[in-house]
Amino acid sequence: MTDLDFDKHHLWHPYTSMQNPLPVQAVSHAEGVRLFLEDGTALIDGMASWWSAIHGYGHPILDAAAKAQIDKVSHVMFGGLTHEPAVELGKLLVHLTPRGLEQVFFSDSGSVSIEVAIKLALQYWISLGRSQKSKLLTLRKGYHGDTFAAMSVCDPVTGMHHLFKEVLTKQIFVSEPQTPFGQPLPAQELDELRATLAAHHSSIAAVILEPVVQGAGRMYFYSADYLCGVRALCDEFGVLLIADEIATGFGRSGKLFACEHAGITPDILCLGKALTGGYLTLAATLCTPRISSVISQDGGVFMHGPTFMANPLACAVAVASIKLLLQSPWQQRITGIEAQLQRELEPCRHLASVRDVRVLGAIGVVEMREAVDMATAQRFFIERGVWLRPFGRLVYLMPPYLIEPADLQHLTQAIHQFAQSVR
Ligand SMILES: *Cc1c(COP(=O)(O)O)cnc(C)c1O
């Protein structure tokens, strides 16, 4: 049995069947923006391993940080113990994230950081003696992860989790924002949210949303005014605001954090994906002192504590990754990627198969009129030396920030050719 045969019969991949799995490629190693397959094929990576590998693969500074930490301690429990990587990372996150977020909870993955955010919000209201505030309000077309509380706030139809609708907590949904990024918001676009908060605020703990960029559910960039409006409405109706920046954190949208487009501070912020530069799984949930002090009053403790909380190896690489980002001309790079994506993807708009083209920061999206056949698309892109993985009607790219213009052009050309090939 070859390795690929074993994989096919024994290993689950994300969102796949064990009976009829889509083909997978075996990666032997990766370097810079290139993935090398076992047959020697080199692919330019347009996915940054799902938003995470912002510095590309095998970066010498991140490699060195991981090796140095392994020689000290790879993991140690966080109950009753602490360590320099966690403290250093905590300092960076408190310093860099929007002003007012001061307490940090480290966890293992994006979905878990969402569970933690939701639990913080619920426990805050329970500590205030207002446990009837137990619902979440969210936007349609959102994506917040695959665990149960996270699933309950994913889009109920397109969110990949409708199978479980009977067991998921029923949350409150409002329409997704319609005004694109960069455009002023018509006042009525917040009417539904205002009316819903007015009617239900006494049972709502928090609004949870992806600021500015609705990712996996939609790949859409909405007006920053909308986010400002949500912040104001949350304050008016006494509801917390949870910002899920798992995809947008660390520069992807052109600002270090997408909340900065609106100049707002959420009450709770979730980070993941690019946190370690794509090296190790780690996430963080930050909150305001108001939340942490209410939860901690009268001897209260926050009821969460994963085994691998604040894993030192992951924290050490995260510290190195964030410092590397800040020392790099990241804003200039992302502005350059944005301009090139606009220039080179825009011609797709005129193709009959294409419904829309959108670009923000280092994210480029070609929305097709019909759902793309994943297996066909995969083969098409691999034949052209690029790694892209469309889903539904969305062909998109979010490359490592240090990609060279020639490599990026290779990616955009492949997307244009693909859109041309679809009738
Ligand atoms: C990826 C993602 C998550 C889930 O993170 P995992 O690490 O996959 O659990 C949650 N929210 C957003 C916006 C994401 O993009």
Side-chain angles (χ1 to χ4, degrees), residues 164-222:
F164 303 105
K165 65 177 190 290
E166 298 307 323
V167 289
L168 292 178
T169 309
K170 302 273 182 293
Q171 311 290 11
I172 302 171
F173 290 83
V174 296
S175 308
E176 67 277 18
Q178 299 298 337
T179 303
F181 184 81
Q183 293 187 22
L185 193 76
Q188 71 271 18
E189 200 165 314
L190 286 161
D191 285 355
E192 185 190 358
L193 180 64
R194 167 179 285 283
T196 308
L197 281 168
H200 301 292
H201 65 89
S202 59
S203 61
I204 296 175
V207 169
I208 178 168
L209 51 66
E210 296 155 276
V212 177
V213 178
Q214 283 194 296
R218 189 182 183 208
M219 293 303 279
Y220 186 84
F221 319 127
Y222 63 85

Side-chain angles (χ1 to χ4, degrees), residues 124 135 140 148 236 239 263 278 322 357 391 411:
Y124 171 81
K135 292 281 174 199
R140 291 191 182 276
F148 275 79
E236 184 180 336
V239 162
I322 294 171
V357 175
F391 68 88
L411 285 161

Side-chain angles (χ1 to χ4, degrees), residues 12 21 44 67 106 118 145 147 153 163 214 231-232 267 332-333 345 372 419:
W12 292 106
I44 300 169
K67 286 171 185 162
F106 290 115
I118 292 172
T147 54
V153 287
L163 269 180
Q214 283 194 296
R231 176 69 275 182
D267 300 287
Q332 207 179 314
R333 278 184 183 151
L345 291 180
V372 167

Side-chain angles (χ1 to χ4, degrees), residues 342-413:
Q342 263 156 2
R343 211 165 48 237
E344 295 175 1
L345 291 180
E346 193 54 33
C348 293
R349 193 186 294 282
H350 309 299
L351 300 172
S353 61
V354 173
R355 174 186 281 193
D356 192 21
V357 175
R358 303 186 280 272
V359 172
L360 179 69
I363 316 167
V365 184
V366 174
E367 183 177 342
M368 309 294 289
R369 293 194 189 277
E370 308 284 342
V372 167
D373 179 65
M374 181 113 74
T376 313
Q378 210 76 97
R379 218 174 314 116
F380 186 97
F381 289 128
I382 290 172
E383 279 165 10
R384 280 156 188 82
V386 299
W387 178 244
L388 290 163
R389 191 172 163 82
F391 68 88
R393 288 189 279 106
L394 301 164
V395 185
Y396 63 102
L397 77 177
M398 46 218 192
Y401 301 163
L402 37 61
I403 192 164
E404 295 291 341
D407 287 338
L408 186 57
Q409 191 179 17
H410 222 91
L411 285 161
T412 58
Q413 267 169 0

Side-chain angles (χ1 to χ4, degrees), residues 51 109-112 114 143-146 210 216 244 246-247 273:
W51 318 79
S109 73
S111 299
V112 176
I114 295 288
Y143 177 76
H144 297 285
D146 293 350
E210 296 155 276
D244 176 353
I246 292 165
K273 290 199 162 97

